[in-house]
Amino acid sequence: MRRSLLSSIIALSLLTGCNSDKTETVYVETEIPKSDVVATESLATSTTAKTSYDDIGDGAYWLNSEDETKSLLFVTLEGDGLAVYNPAGDEVERLENIEVTGADIRYGIKADNGDSIDLLAVALPEDNSIGFYSVSNKDGVVLNDVGTLTTDYAAEGVCLHKNTTNGALLLTGVTDDGMAVQYKLKYQDGEIKSVLADDNALPIAVRELEVGGELSACIVDDETSTLYVAEQDLGIWAYGADPEDINSRQIVDSIAPLGHLQEIEALDLLYLSDGKGYLVVGDEGKGMMLYNRDDWALKANIQLDGVDEIKSLAVANNGIWVGNSEADKPVYEKLSYSTLNSAPSFTQSPINEALSSANLAATGIALVKVVGETAPVDDDGDAADDPAFWLNQADPDNSLIIGTNKQGGLAAYDLDGKELQYLDEGEPNNVDIIQAVTTPSGDTYSLAAASNREFNTIALYKIQAATMVMNLS
């Protein structure tokens, strides 16, 4: 059963700080059962990267679907750039003269003209930006610069989300001071761009989450559309990944004594062919923690021989690479799945086939293509919201679309999407219509009702067919 691991509502509320006005947190008071205590298991790594850097950071693994031996491990090196390794741990490429921290990969990002790339996103905190590269490795590693997203903040961590139904691409950047900011992206004219931009062509965020304290990592489960954010000294939060998902955030696990963790540094996901898998967590004090994807129950607590702290990790098809940042010569090392399967916690449920996000797909869903749209509302971001349709029974061609701009007013459009009238009256969030209201005198008219968040009221409007306008009743 999915649990919020909190023994005191008041205690955790004092620690979490302020939530964004777009996120409502629901706390469930639950003690951690003794059966949830998982024994620590010690294992050894089998592969070590051949080069060492003082500041090894985040990792992201790219699986070459045509030849797994040409897969690549990307390791951020802060001021030393980005190192690229093959599955044997040999360094095969390096990007220098950039300061890079977070990294993430998604596959098959398509443009309208049919072009497709595998995409690497990296956080560039010194420049307040996110960098993008296409990845290939047929006759040698090829990283092509495909754009830069300028932001208003210094992202330390970055995670991508590719919608398994429609292929839409989303990026989340997390900061040291508690913000998670999301952008919708598109691949167009050989470049990754923000779907929304202002008059100066600067990217517009579609969602900002004030998570709380220092954020150390994020990752998105594309299959369940779940955004996981690590608040380093408190716990791991789960949000709906889509900007329109207003479900309350939940806590996956927290630091001791309320939970199992100590200091959370890294997150990744291990997908399995049976539809299950694990959220993999790197904890500076506790080691590697694996949680079931379906119910967030703690599956295993792994300590790696010779690895004092796990501050970064990357899930691969044949093992999990971890950054041994406290070694005399900091390197990435790989824990193979065959070794992991020897641990008592995995003997009954061994990992036989690990998948990448490229293997995820939604089935049994038909996409509906739009054939028209209204004129855009004047406000940016999450503004255009709830619509309602009014049927002009005497003249159906002159029916109306009534929609809310929840940042400023109510609009009436014709069936071609042309704005006919705009009422700048508060912040209407939802609208509905009664087609026929009869007065005591026998007159009949249509009525629109809109919830107004600014005044905490329900506003009523009469729809007049003769003039196709709305008058406040």
Side-chain angles (χ1 to χ4, degrees), residues 49-57 75-85 89-96 323-332:
K50 305 301 191 299
T51 55
S52 169
Y53 294 93
D54 290 337
D55 296 313
I56 61 170
V75 177
T76 67
L77 308 173
E78 297 189 7
D80 288 328
L82 183 78
V84 186
Y85 297 92
D90 302 311
E91 184 176 317
V92 293
E93 184 63 86
R94 170 126 173 259
L95 295 183
E96 299 183 75
N324 190 352
S325 58
E326 298 302 309
D328 292 338
K329 293 184 177 181
V331 291
Y332 255 74

Side-chain angles (χ1 to χ4, degrees), residues 45-59 73 75-77 83 85 88-91 304-314 320-335:
T45 59
S46 58
T47 306
T48 301
K50 305 301 191 299
T51 55
S52 169
Y53 294 93
D54 290 337
D55 296 313
I56 61 170
D58 195 18
L73 171 68
V75 177
T76 67
L77 308 173
Y85 297 92
D90 302 311
E91 184 176 317
L304 297 178
D305 295 343
V307 181
D308 293 335
E309 298 177 357
I310 296 181
K311 294 185 178 181
S312 55
L313 53 81
I320 301 172
W321 288 89
V322 298
N324 190 352
S325 58
E326 298 302 309
D328 292 338
K329 293 184 177 181
V331 291
Y332 255 74
E333 302 180 26
K334 185 175 70 176
L335 170 67

Side-chain angles (χ1 to χ4, degrees), residues 87-110:
D90 302 311
E91 184 176 317
V92 293
E93 184 63 86
R94 170 126 173 259
L95 295 183
E96 299 183 75
N97 301 318
I98 58 172
E99 177 166 347
V100 56
T101 52
D104 202 8
I105 295 274
R106 282 302 181 274
Y107 302 83
I109 306 304
K110 294 182 179 179

Side-chain angles (χ1 to χ4, degrees), residues 14-293:
L14 291 173
L15 290 169
T16 55
C18 299
N19 297 321
S20 166
D21 58 0
K22 298 179 182 178
T23 306
E24 178 186 356
T25 305
V26 173
Y27 300 110
V28 179
E29 186 174 2
T30 307
E31 295 286 350
I32 302 175
K34 292 185 183 298
S35 59
D36 268 5
V37 176
V38 175
T40 301
E41 300 165 287
S42 182
L43 300 173
T45 59
S46 58
T47 306
T48 301
K50 305 301 191 299
T51 55
S52 169
Y53 294 93
D54 290 337
D55 296 313
I56 61 170
D58 195 18
Y61 194 82
W62 175 71
L63 179 63
N64 189 326
S65 59
E66 297 179 354
D67 184 351
E68 291 185 1
T69 65
K70 293 185 177 181
S71 299
L72 300 170
L73 171 68
F74 295 92
V75 177
T76 67
L77 308 173
E78 297 189 7
D80 288 328
L82 183 78
V84 186
Y85 297 92
N86 65 19
D90 302 311
E91 184 176 317
V92 293
E93 184 63 86
R94 170 126 173 259
L95 295 183
E96 299 183 75
N97 301 318
I98 58 172
E99 177 166 347
V100 56
T101 52
D104 202 8
I105 295 274
R106 282 302 181 274
Y107 302 83
I109 306 304
K110 294 182 179 179
D112 289 340
N113 63 3
D115 290 343
S116 177
I117 60 171
D118 291 347
L119 181 67
L120 167 69
V122 295
L124 307 172
E126 268 202 346
D127 301 326
N128 279 17
S129 63
I130 309 294
F132 301 106
Y133 297 88
S134 65
V135 181
S136 63
N137 187 16
K138 186 175 182 180
D139 299 315
V141 177
V142 177
L143 291 176
N144 285 324
D145 188 337
V146 290
T148 301
L149 184 78
T150 302
T151 65
D152 296 327
Y153 60 93
E156 295 292 332
V158 63
C159 51
L160 294 168
H161 169 41
K162 181 183 176 185
N163 188 298
T164 57
T165 300
N166 57 24
L169 184 64
L170 189 74
L171 177 138
T172 303
V174 296
T175 72
D176 279 346
D177 57 0
M179 293 296 298
V181 185
Q182 293 182 305
Y183 297 86
K184 286 186 177 179
L185 305 178
K186 60 184 176 181
Y187 180 43
Q188 185 181 64
D189 301 326
E191 189 176 357
I192 296 292
K193 305 175 182 178
S194 174
V195 171
L196 297 178
D198 63 18
D199 294 338
N200 296 316
L202 294 176
I204 296 173
V206 295
R207 188 190 195 189
E208 294 185 359
L209 299 169
E210 295 180 10
V211 179
E214 182 176 350
L215 306 185
S216 53
C218 67
I219 198 70
V220 177
D221 188 328
D222 287 353
E223 190 172 44
T224 63
S225 193
T226 303
L227 166 66
Y228 295 99
V229 178
E231 190 173 351
Q232 188 177 60
D233 296 322
L234 194 146
I236 302 169
W237 297 102
Y239 293 83
D242 192 278
E244 297 295 330
D245 190 332
I246 59 173
N247 290 330
S248 301
R249 67 175 178 173
Q250 296 175 280
I251 194 162
V252 177
D253 199 358
S254 61
I255 62 171
L258 302 180
H260 304 90
L261 299 164
Q262 182 172 316
E263 185 174 328
I264 311 136
E265 296 285 355
L267 300 174
D268 209 340
L269 284 156
L270 170 56
Y271 298 103
L272 298 179
S273 57
D274 60 3
K276 297 181 180 180
Y278 305 101
L279 172 67
V280 186
V281 179
D283 187 283
E284 185 171 325
K286 300 297 288 291
M288 183 189 300
M289 315 286 278
L290 290 93
Y291 298 82
N292 295 332
R293 283 176 61 223

Side-chain angles (χ1 to χ4, degrees), residues 413-434:
Y413 306 89
D414 64 19
L415 297 186
D416 293 323
K418 178 182 177 182
E419 186 181 293
L420 302 175
Q421 185 183 15
Y422 184 75
L423 299 176
D424 188 3
E425 298 177 347
E427 297 178 349
N429 191 54
N430 296 99
V431 63
D432 203 359
I433 289 174
I434 298 177

